[in-house]
């Protein structure tokens, strides 16, 4: 604990991290960044500026050295953003990209994250993956209970108005789609 006079004209005691190694932060395999060089960083560190103070309790700091964890062995395809081509030391591997949804995800990761196509392709890939999962269940002889998995029963018990709205919107979208397809076929 040390006492300092700050620009706002009063003196108070607080902890400083001078001399500690906690200013250095590893970021995905890149060299550590000295946050003290960032103008304005830590402006909210004064506990008096925190709304939760004095209820906030700081956990004891670990005096463990900040070292890069040992990289996880890669046994499956992992998609990485073009903005951050480095592999993180740890990553998720239980569901590697596969099938049509995997092709969509690979296409999405060829674009940058500020490109709307990136996110739209990922959303589409998720929806396609749901259908692939249903097909997988059927191929294994398991008939999925779609209504139970969608939580229709719970929705009916706890949010009937919301469920009715969802059904109405889905019916309207399906009706408009049917009308447009039928109209196209008549031309």
């Amino acid at each position: 604990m040390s006492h300092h006079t700050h620009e706002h004209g009063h003196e108070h005691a607080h902890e400083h991290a001078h001399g500690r190694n906690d200013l250095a932060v590893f970021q995905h395999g890149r060299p550590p960044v000295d946050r003290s060089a960032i103008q304005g960083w830590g402006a909210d560190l004064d506990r008096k500026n925190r709304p939760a103070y004095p209820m906030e309790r700081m956990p004891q700091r670990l005096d463990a050295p900040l070292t890069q964890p040992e990289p996880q062995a890669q046994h499956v395809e992992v998609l990485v953003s073009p903005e951050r081509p480095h592999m993180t030391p740890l990553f998720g591997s239980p569901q590697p990209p596969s099938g049509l949804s995997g092709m969509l995800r690979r296409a999405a990761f060829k674009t940058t994250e500020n490109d709307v196509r990136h996110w739209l392709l990922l959303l589409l890939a998720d929806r396609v993956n749901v259908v692939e999962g249903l097909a997988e269940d059927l191929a294994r002889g398991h008939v999925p209970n779609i209504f139970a998995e969608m939580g229709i029963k719970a929705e009916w018990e706890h949010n009937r108005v919301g469920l009715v709205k969802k059904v109405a919107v889905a019916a309207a979208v399906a009706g408009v789609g049917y009308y447009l397809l039928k109209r196209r076929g008549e031309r």
Side-chain angles (χ1 to χ4, degrees):
M1 201 78 99
S2 61
H3 293 268
H4 294 273
T5 302
H6 290 266
E7 291 179 3
H8 43 83
H10 66 272
E11 184 177 295
H12 57 95
H14 59 105
E15 289 183 5
H16 279 269
H18 297 301
R20 290 190 187 168
N21 198 18
D22 60 351
L23 293 178
V25 176
F26 284 98
Q27 294 183 346
H28 309 298
R30 287 178 281 175
V33 174
D34 182 6
R35 293 182 293 194
S36 66
I38 301 170
Q39 186 176 7
W41 184 89
D44 59 345
L45 286 182
D46 188 345
R47 292 181 180 186
K48 291 183 178 179
N49 295 334
R50 297 181 188 176
Y53 186 80
M55 292 182 290
E56 181 178 297
R57 305 231 191 300
M58 291 290 286
Q60 271 199 323
R61 288 184 173 266
L62 295 175
D63 283 333
L66 292 173
T67 57
Q68 189 78 353
E70 187 175 322
Q72 177 180 345
Q74 182 181 354
H75 301 293
V76 295
E77 180 183 4
V78 178
L79 299 172
V80 293
S81 168
E83 286 105 345
R84 293 179 298 279
H86 304 288
M87 286 291 295
T88 55
L90 303 173
F91 48 83
S93 61
Q95 290 206 309
S98 64
L100 179 59
S101 63
M103 291 170 58
L104 290 168
R105 287 194 173 96
R106 286 184 200 101
F109 275 90
K110 287 180 182 171
T111 61
T112 59
E113 292 176 5
N114 64 350
D115 189 335
V116 71
R117 291 174 295 178
H118 175 84
W119 301 108
L120 291 176
L121 281 171
L122 289 178
L123 286 171
L124 179 62
D126 284 347
R127 300 301 96 201
V128 168
N129 197 224
V130 169
V131 175
E132 289 173 338
L134 292 174
E136 246 177 60
D137 284 348
L138 291 172
R140 281 189 258 152
H142 172 73
V143 178
N145 187 348
I146 295 174
F147 292 110
E149 291 177 10
M150 290 177 68
I152 299 292
K153 186 179 175 187
E155 190 91 16
W156 181 252
E157 286 179 15
H158 303 288
N159 186 18
R160 284 186 189 184
V161 174
L163 178 62
V164 169
K165 284 180 185 175
K166 287 178 188 174
V167 170
V169 168
V173 169
V176 168
Y178 176 75
Y179 171 76
L180 292 174
L181 286 174
K182 187 177 176 187
R183 192 171 156 200
R184 183 186 236 181
E186 290 174 356
R187 288 183 187 175

